Amino acid sequence: MLTNEDNITIESFIDKLILSLKNDTEKAKSNGVTRKQLIEKVTNMTVNRLTPESKMILSSVYNMMSVHTLAEDYFSDISHKADFYSADILSELNGKFEFDIPKEIDYKKSYTEINMLISSGAIVVAGGIVSVTLKNWIPIGIAAIIAGIMALVIKKCSSSSPKSDIDTVINRYFASVKASLLAWIKNIETYYDQLVAELKGKG
């Protein structure tokens, strides 16, 4: 599990990443790019920055939770602690995802992939937030999700206001990316807790 302090630390780190991306976006806007070019640039920057960072976040989240787990009385027993390490939960969590960055990032193609993942039940999309169920057998590409969120946001903005300005689209994109990352972490926490409970059940 994660404590309130852990969650604050994680969210603060994500906020810093998003702020950095927003600053880079402002620089790109000052170069006089078109709306289409800016959307593509923001999507590419976000995928390239957050895909590897998400793997680091996953490791950090696991480390935080494992510290709390091993501090429990149950795991003061050497055999129980050995069972925990043998389970190699971090490898199982990493195996649920792909952290590779594609050579070409296309948010429209990623949107198609997101729809396939929705159909398979691997992800749930609500209010522009992508939530990974972790029931997937095939690793989910983090880059595709981050890119696909842009298409989801554009579609939502177009349906609510066909003339949505570019700042609205980009701000909603970053908000959706942050919310999706937090939902992803929450689901990782839930899955981790289930695996730990299973270990205790066997003991």
Side-chain angles (χ1 to χ4, degrees):
M1 69 172 186
L2 293 169
T3 65
N4 287 335
E5 186 177 349
D6 292 334
N7 285 315
I8 290 170
T9 298
I10 293 164
E11 186 170 1
S12 176
F13 179 72
I14 291 172
D15 283 338
K16 288 178 182 176
L17 291 174
I18 298 294
L19 179 59
S20 175
L21 287 165
K22 285 182 176 179
N23 290 337
D24 288 343
T25 299
E26 290 303 314
K27 292 176 185 176
K29 284 167 64 178
S30 67
N31 292 330
V33 294
T34 65
R35 177 189 175 96
K36 182 176 183 293
Q37 289 172 332
L38 185 57
I39 286 174
E40 289 176 347
K41 189 168 185 63
V42 168
T43 305
N44 274 264
M45 286 192 309
T46 307
V47 169
N48 280 292
R49 183 79 58 83
L50 295 188
T51 301
E53 288 288 357
S54 64
K55 186 171 186 178
M56 292 176 62
I57 290 171
L58 174 55
S59 293
S60 295
V61 167
Y62 168 80
N63 289 335
M64 290 174 176
M65 293 190 294
S66 64
V67 167
H68 302 316
T69 298
L70 293 173
E72 295 176 15
D73 289 342
Y74 179 86
F75 290 101
S76 62
D77 184 298
I78 295 175
S79 64
H80 292 164
K81 186 176 290 187
D83 289 340
F84 175 81
Y85 287 121
S86 295
D88 198 5
I89 294 175
L90 180 57
S91 289
E92 176 156 356
L93 290 171
N94 276 320
K96 294 285 184 180
F97 310 100
E98 286 182 350
F99 299 96
D100 297 329
I101 300 173
K103 292 181 180 179
E104 292 184 11
I105 299 167
D106 188 326
Y107 63 90
K108 293 178 182 178
K109 288 183 180 178
S110 294
Y111 178 65
T112 301
E113 187 171 338
I114 278 182
N115 282 326
M116 291 173 62
L117 291 169
I118 292 171
S119 298
S120 70
I123 66 171
V124 175
V125 177
I129 301 172
V130 177
S131 181
V132 180
T133 66
L134 272 77
K135 294 177 181 178
N136 48 301
W137 295 101
I138 300 173
I140 291 176
I142 296 296
I145 289 177
I146 294 172
I149 289 172
M150 179 60 87
L152 288 169
V153 169
I154 291 173
K155 185 177 180 182
K156 187 176 182 181
C157 286
S158 297
S159 62
S160 61
S161 177
K163 295 184 179 179
S164 294
D165 63 83
I166 188 63
D167 287 335
T168 298
V169 170
I170 290 173
N171 287 332
R172 287 187 180 181
Y173 174 62
F174 284 134
S176 293
V177 167
K178 175 186 173 179
S180 296
L181 280 173
L182 291 176
W184 176 63
I185 291 164
K186 185 63 182 175
N187 288 339
I188 287 170
E189 178 185 10
T190 299
Y191 188 67
Y192 170 93
D193 287 343
Q194 290 173 354
L195 294 178
V196 171
E198 288 173 11
L199 273 178
K200 289 180 178 179
K202 293 175 182 177

